[in-house]
Amino acid sequence: MQALANKRIILGLTGGIACYKSAEFLRRAQDMGAEFDVVMTQGAQQFITPITFGALSGRQVHTDLWDNSSSDNMAHIHLSREADAIVIAPASTHFIARLANGLADDLLSTLCVARGHCPLIIAPAMNKEMWANPATQRNIAQLRADGVHIIGPGAGDQACGEIGDGRMLEPLQLLAELIAFFQPKSLTGKRVLITAGPTSEPIDPIRTITNRSSGKMGYAIAQAAFNAGAEVQLVSGPVKLDAPYGVTRQSVESARDMHRAVMDLAPTADVFISVAAVADWYVVNASNQKLKKDQSQQAPKLEFAPNPDILASVASMPIAQRPYCVGFAAETEKLIEHAHAKRLRKGVPLLVGNLAQDAMNADNTQLMIFDEAGHNQWPVQSKTEAAQQLIMHIAQQLDPK
Ligand code: C5P
C-alpha cells in the first residue's frame, strides 16, 4: 500500500517564493496516494497561479471566503471536515502571526480556525531575520503550544541572497515529514542503532572485497524507525542511497570500522538492528601501495583473518547496557533451519530471515520472523512496508501491551 493512500490533504499556500516547491511536493505526495484540495491566499497568488495547482490537483483551487460556488458558502467548514490534515506550505511570517492570534480574515485562516480536530502542519518559509525576530519566535511557540505541528525551516541560501535559517524544507523533505506524521509513534523516546549496506575490505588502496547488498532494507528500516518517533543512528557501508530523512548517518568502509562505530554507539541505544551484510573475513596482508602485476604474472596471495561479529558482540554486552538486538539472515537455501540456528548462535531474541536471491537489490521482500516461539512468514511487500511492519513488531516486543 502507498504511504499516503486514502489521505486527503488540504494544501494551503501563503505568500512566498517557496510556493514553487509546493507544486513539486504535491506531485510527489500524489505519487504516494494522497489527494489534495488546494487553498491559496492572495499573497500566494502573487507568486504562482491557481491554474498551476488546479491542473496538478485536478480540482478547483479555493481562493475566496466569499466564493458562492459551494451551495451553502461554507467551504471554510466543509473542507477540513473531510481532510486528514491541513498542510500550510509555505507558511509566511504574516500568516504565522495571524494563525497564532486566531485571526479569520480570509479563506485559509478561517479554515484553520474552524478546523476542529483536523491536524494542522505548517512549513515556515522566510528570510532569516524574519524567522529570528522575537515576535515570530513567540508566535511559533504559541502555535506549538496550540498543538500545531511545525516542520522545518531548513537553513541555507535564501532567495534574498542571505544565508541562514528560514528556508522552507525541500519537496521530498516535506513529503518525508508528512509520511512520518501519519505513522503511529510507537518508538518515541527510543534510540535505535542500525547497520546497513555492505562492508568493503581493502586489498590495496584501489581494490576491495565487497558484496551485492544495496542497503535498501536497512535504510527503509531506519526511515521507519524515525517515522515511529525514534532517534536513529545509521552506521552504513558504502551504498548509493541518500541518508534517510531525520536519521544521523555515519559512513564506514570495513567491518572493523563498522564494529568500532557500533560499539561506541551501542551502550546508549535501546534497540540494535543489524541489517548490514558484513564481510566474514578481512585481508591481513592488504598492501599500502597498489599491487602491480609482476613479470612472472603470479597472482597475489591474499591472507584472510576473521572479522569481529558485530551483532554477537552487541548481543553479549553486559545486560545493563545491552540494547534489544535484532539480527538478519539472508540465506540462499534452507532458510528456516539456518535462521533458527543463527538466532541461537548470535544470542539475539529476534532474527529476520529472507532469501538472498529474492531480497538482494530488490524493492520487495518477504520476511520471516524467528523468535523463541518459532517462526512466522510475512507477505511479499515493499521494503518500506516490511520495514514498517518490523518496527511495529519490535515496538511491541519492547512494550507488550
Ligand atoms: O553470520 P551471518 O553473517 O550469517 O549473520 C548475519 C547477521 O549477523 C546479520 O544481522 C549481520 O548484520 C550480522 N553480522 C555481524 N557481523 C559479522 C557478520 C554478520 O554483525 N561479522
Side-chain angles (χ1 to χ4, degrees):
M1 199 163 85
Q2 292 164 303
L4 295 174
N6 305 321
K7 295 290 183 236
R8 293 195 65 158
I9 309 296
I10 297 175
L11 175 62
L13 291 108
T14 72
I17 185 63
C19 280
Y20 78 94
K21 295 187 190 176
S22 302
E24 176 69 6
F25 159 63
L26 181 145
R27 286 293 294 116
R28 299 287 73 84
Q30 284 174 326
D31 292 344
M32 296 287 149
E35 284 181 36
F36 281 90
D37 278 300
V38 179
V39 180
M40 298 175 73
T41 63
Q42 290 218 324
Q45 294 170 64
Q46 301 295 318
F47 289 90
I48 194 162
T49 71
I51 293 170
T52 303
F53 282 93
L56 293 176
S57 69
R59 302 208 182 144
Q60 189 202 333
V61 171
H62 305 270
T63 54
D64 187 2
L65 185 58
W66 310 114
D67 173 15
N68 60 8
S69 60
S70 96
S71 54
D72 58 2
N73 242 349
M74 293 282 178
H76 60 288
I77 308 289
H78 299 318
L79 278 172
S80 71
R81 297 298 177 273
E82 288 154 15
D84 295 290
I86 303 172
V87 179
I88 311 283
S92 66
T93 315
H94 186 60
F95 193 79
I96 287 170
R98 286 201 285 152
L99 260 187
N101 287 285
L103 297 191
D105 54 1
D106 67 358
L107 177 59
L108 188 58
S109 57
T110 309
L111 182 87
C112 289
V113 176
R115 74 184 183 280
H117 296 296
C118 183
L120 177 57
I121 303 170
I122 68 165
M126 64 196 73
N127 163 271
K128 65 174 185 170
E129 298 300 346
M130 295 170 86
W131 174 250
N133 186 287
T136 306
Q137 289 304 311
R138 256 196 327 271
N139 291 332
I140 288 288
Q142 183 60 56
L143 290 177
R144 279 211 172 93
D146 293 344
V148 175
H149 189 69
I150 320 275
I151 54 176
D157 292 341
Q158 304 203 307
C160 51
E162 297 183 0
I163 299 172
D165 288 343
R167 278 171 66 94
M168 188 169 84
L169 295 185
E170 298 304 317
L172 291 181
Q173 296 176 320
L174 290 176
L175 179 63
E177 288 280 5
L178 185 61
I179 292 171
F181 179 80
F182 287 116
Q183 296 305 312
K185 296 290 170 260
S186 53
L187 287 180
T188 299
K190 301 285 187 219
R191 291 172 71 118
V192 177
L193 174 62
I194 299 170
T195 63
T199 55
S200 170
E201 304 297 333
I203 296 172
D204 67 15
I206 314 259
R207 300 161 179 115
T208 70
I209 299 176
T210 186
N211 61 64
R212 296 184 202 274
S213 168
S214 65
K216 285 180 187 168
M217 191 70 236
Y219 275 54
I221 292 169
Q223 188 65 77
F226 169 78
N227 291 354
E231 186 186 321
V232 185
Q233 305 264 4
L234 177 62
V235 178
S236 174
V239 295
K240 295 197 179 77
L241 304 172
D242 291 333
Y245 181 73
V247 166
T248 308
R249 174 170 67 175
Q250 188 175 339
S251 296
V252 295
E253 299 268 328
S254 72
R256 285 166 297 153
D257 294 342
M258 187 175 271
H259 182 252
R260 269 190 294 275
V262 166
M263 295 319 281
D264 270 356
L265 295 166
T268 54
D270 299 294
V271 178
F272 173 53
I273 312 175
S274 183
V275 196
V278 185
D280 290 326
W281 305 91
Y282 73 94
V283 182
V284 187
N285 58 342
S287 168
N288 290 331
Q289 302 299 332
K290 184 181 174 189
L291 293 174
K292 307 298 283 179
K293 277 178 273 192
D294 66 14
Q295 299 300 9
S296 60
Q297 295 287 319
Q298 278 221 325
K301 290 205 168 34
L302 300 181
E303 289 166 29
F304 293 91
N307 271 323
D309 190 313
I310 304 169
L311 177 58
S313 311
V314 177
S316 60
M317 280 167 51
I319 193 148
Q321 291 187 342
R322 183 195 314 161
Y324 179 83
C325 290
V326 181
F328 263 72
E331 302 293 341
T332 52
E333 55 164 4
K334 298 184 187 155
L335 174 61
I336 295 179
E337 195 182 311
H338 287 153
H340 271 305
K342 194 166 289 184
R343 189 183 78 79
L344 296 175
R345 202 169 61 240
K346 305 261 176 183
V348 295
L350 188 68
L351 190 114
V352 182
N354 55 16
L355 284 172
Q357 55 273 40
D358 295 345
M360 280 263 174
N361 248 312
D363 291 327
N364 288 343
T365 188
Q366 180 163 37
L367 301 184
M368 203 180 257
I369 302 299
F370 298 82
D371 60 18
E372 216 180 31
H375 60 269
N376 187 9
Q377 183 149 40
W378 290 351
V380 177
Q381 52 192 337
S382 71
K383 286 186 174 172
T384 307
E385 290 168 313
Q388 262 171 34
Q389 188 173 359
L390 179 63
I391 287 298
M392 254 150 54
H393 185 80
I394 292 171
Q396 271 162 14
Q397 308 308 304
L398 296 182
D399 187 10
K401 266 190 260 158

